[in-house]
Amino acid sequence: MQVLNPDELDKFAYDALDDTKTWEGVPERKIGTLVLNQAPDNYFESTEESAFAPSRLVPGIEPSEDRMLQGRLFAYADTQMYRLGANYQQLPVNCPVAGVNNEDQDGAMNTGARKGETNYEPSTLGEVAEDPKYKSVRLPLSGTTQQQAIHKTLNFAQAGDYYRSLSAQDKDDLITALGTDLGRVTNDANKYAMLSYFYKADSDYGRRLARAVHADPARVKDAAAKLQD
Ligand code: HEM
């Protein structure tokens, strides 16, 4: 994994929370190994009924303001509620190993076996003691908020870096794969717009792809020259 402090997010020529970007110059740390060594005995219980959501976080891990992640915090848990039912977190494949003690009760297919009377928190009955050490971090905020496109886009530089990092064989395969799909595009303006993006990322990339789809290389080059990174 790579780690940045929030105050380092602005030090790049691109928005570090734009997840079409890779973080350059940030060392990778190995934190463990995930070993996939078993297929489920019961496919339905272990796979169809499983529910992974980015909003299910253990204390100590919290989401960043990455806008894609923010959308996903809601979307997965919401769809799982429809897909599996209100108490899907009690299914064996989804429930924590530690016992859950949160005053939630009832709802379809509840197996929580709650005995108390409160189903809200905080409650003067205080059936469950809160531990303040599990509070989320205190996040300082300033400025304004609005739905807006990312400002520091740097749309083409990393795409070019990626292309140049590939082996000759991988470049060939990439051109073949992209060219097959792009060759089917009948809208000429769209096809040339796409070709200009590849050219802007790397001129060899754009030229080869233009050749693969029998496009006019001069038109591609002219369109690329008008693009801003
Ligand atoms: C970084 C971008 C994303 C990644 C890496 C990602 C990854 C995944 C993966 C691995 C799955 C499981 C697929 C499967 O079960 O076969 C999934 C499902 C899903 N994704 Fe995403 N996704 C991304 C973006 C989004 C966004 C932007 C949304 C909506 C705002 C979204 C909503 C969902 C939903 C609703 C499911 C189904 C969840 C379920 O039924 O359990 N995803 N995603």
Side-chain angles (χ1 to χ4, degrees), residues 19 47-48 50-54 66-81 83-84:
D19 54 9
T47 303
E48 297 282 339
S50 70
F52 292 93
D66 166 356
R67 55 180 78 195
M68 173 87 82
L69 177 59
Q70 288 289 327
R72 302 173 63 215
L73 292 178
F74 172 78
Y76 289 66
D78 181 58
T79 202
Q80 287 155 359
M81 200 102 77
R83 180 160 69 76
L84 297 166

Side-chain angles (χ1 to χ4, degrees), residues 92-115:
V93 69
N94 298 321
C95 70
V97 177
V100 174
N101 191 18
N102 63 2
E103 295 182 352
D104 282 359
Q105 64 182 37
D106 301 347
M109 289 179 265
N110 194 307
T111 58
R114 247 189 68 68
K115 299 192 186 65

Side-chain angles (χ1 to χ4, degrees), residues 161-175 204 208:
D161 290 343
Y162 173 72
Y163 176 76
R164 288 183 291 276
S165 76
L166 296 176
S167 68
Q169 179 67 57
D170 286 345
K171 281 183 185 162
D172 288 351
D173 292 346
L174 183 61
I175 300 292
D204 177 62
R208 288 188 62 185

